[in-house]
Amino acid sequence: MTTGARVLIAPDSFKGTADAAAVARALGTGWAAVRPDDDLVLMPMADGGEGTLDAFALAVPGATRMPATVTGPDGRRAPASWLLLPDGTGVVELACTSGITLLETLRPLDAHTEGFGQAVAAALRHGVDRLYLALGGSSSTDGGVGALTALGGRFLDGDGRQVLPGGRGLADIVTADLSGLPPLPARGALILSDVTNPLLGPAGAAAVFGPQKGADAAEIVALDARLGRLAGLLGADPATPGAGAAGGTAFGLLAWGARLAPGAAAVGQALGLPAAVRGASVVITGEGRFDSQSAAGKVPSLLAGLAAEAGVRALLVAGAIEPGALTAHPGWFAAAVSLTDLAGGTAAAMADPLTWLETAGSRLAGDR
């Protein structure tokens, strides 16, 4: 590669250690230390989970954060925001309104998505004509009932009373009335998610994601049955790939009329990623762990595909690389660096990820 080449740096966040913007900056710093004349383009990415709002805010000129105070997943009031794009689109992220990081203690049966629905309602009141609904980082398994309730839905028990919030209340729903929901905005609502799990069963919301939210074996069985009860009351297909995202919130949003889209691809399209890849000489992407699931619509797989189409060299940086994950996709990346390998262990890599990301950037630039 010749001096002065354009390098596109488009990583996802390294969850739990560094957000996507910080990852991109650190990789860029490391690369520039070796190749200072290159033109670095930083485009932090997201797949619909935590950091999606930040990715849009950094990449879209004129994007405006709109403050909103919402009811957090544990019932406490929490400061949040949604993003207004210049074209009239509203971006609402579940992680910053009803996410697991907002909890002091995990609440597998009682955490809910009311705050997410409140932020969506705020965007609608503002007059957005399209919604991007970023799911990921969820704290709850409530099938989206909390969000739908905040939007005007009614979920009643046999005595006509509103059921308790969270997965616990799903057991008591007898009537689900969505007639009070507002109409979708003129250009629709797009659910951004990086998972393809259905709502129910061994690959469903409770079984796969419940343990991350503190659910034990008995609670997982109960939550799956309660989600099944909800599925019998709403007009969406629980088998839809992705319906299980965010504890079934995607299923609830489908019942409202929203559409599902692969999160990374939708975010990338909105940010102009395909054109950015075509204009680059090399692209660098990454995520916290590159493994067998990375092929299922994650940011690195998206970048690898776009780079291959454009004939551009693709490089990967990951906190850890699962054995065999790279060989399962030969040709995706011309080079790959693991922070765990650089640091000599997982603990060391996670203790100072930005330093090791700079080292990774320098290592890749030096290999040019």
Side-chain angles (χ1 to χ4, degrees):
M1 191 175 73
T2 59
T3 299
R6 174 164 290 189
V7 181
L8 174 66
I9 304 178
D12 199 350
S13 64
F14 281 40
K15 292 179 175 60
T17 57
D19 62 35
V23 173
R25 287 193 297 267
L27 289 171
T29 298
W31 185 281
V34 176
R35 298 181 61 87
D37 295 328
D38 285 348
D39 178 19
L40 303 185
V41 179
L42 306 188
M43 187 174 286
M45 275 291 294
D47 54 19
E50 186 175 358
T52 299
L53 216 63
D54 291 338
F56 275 96
L58 286 167
V60 179
T64 304
R65 287 189 181 271
M66 308 294 288
T69 300
V70 303
T71 303
D74 56 4
R76 296 180 300 167
R77 301 296 284 169
S81 63
W82 58 277
L83 197 68
L84 177 63
L85 304 186
D87 69 351
T89 299
V91 186
V92 187
E93 181 184 304
L94 187 143
C96 69
T97 53
S98 302
I100 196 167
T101 60
L102 301 179
L103 293 177
E104 293 181 352
T105 304
L106 296 177
R107 297 162 58 92
L109 297 181
D110 299 304
H112 56 75
T113 54
E114 182 179 352
F116 179 63
Q118 290 170 339
V120 173
L124 290 173
R125 287 195 300 272
H126 187 83
V128 300
D129 65 359
R130 178 171 60 183
L131 283 168
Y132 288 150
L133 304 171
L135 304 190
S138 168
S139 62
S140 64
T141 309
D142 75 346
V145 164
L148 294 177
T149 299
L151 287 166
R154 301 174 73 225
F155 297 86
L156 309 176
D157 64 18
D159 296 322
R161 296 174 300 192
Q162 180 68 38
V163 300
L164 292 172
R168 189 183 304 277
L170 300 182
D172 300 321
I173 299 175
V174 172
T175 302
D177 179 6
L178 303 187
S179 63
L181 294 180
L184 294 173
R187 290 193 290 156
L190 201 62
I191 303 165
L192 308 182
S193 173
D194 67 342
V195 305
T196 57
N197 303 72
L199 180 67
L200 306 173
V208 175
F209 305 113
Q212 303 168 9
K213 301 166 187 180
D216 61 27
E219 289 168 336
I220 289 168
V221 171
L223 286 167
D224 188 67
R226 293 169 190 178
L227 289 171
R229 181 183 184 89
L230 178 68
L233 296 171
L234 298 183
D237 182 359
T240 301
T249 301
F251 174 76
L253 296 172
L254 288 170
W256 181 31
R259 295 184 297 111
L260 270 164
V267 173
Q269 193 65 41
L271 300 185
L273 183 65
V277 171
R278 290 193 296 271
S281 302
V282 62
V283 300
I284 306 173
T285 188
E287 63 181 347
R289 179 174 177 79
F290 185 81
D291 55 25
S292 58
Q293 296 184 31
S294 296
K298 302 283 189 178
V299 169
S301 66
L302 172 66
L303 265 295
L306 291 173
E309 291 174 6
V312 174
R313 190 176 175 88
L315 310 175
L316 173 72
V317 178
I321 299 176
E322 182 181 82
L326 287 173
T327 55
H329 303 286
W332 270 21
F333 301 106
V337 175
S338 159
L339 302 191
T340 297
D341 291 343
L342 287 179
T346 301
M350 294 185 70
D352 194 7
L354 298 183
T355 295
W356 293 111
L357 282 162
E358 288 187 21
T359 302
S362 295
R363 174 73 62 86
L364 290 173
D367 290 344
R368 301 302 301 151

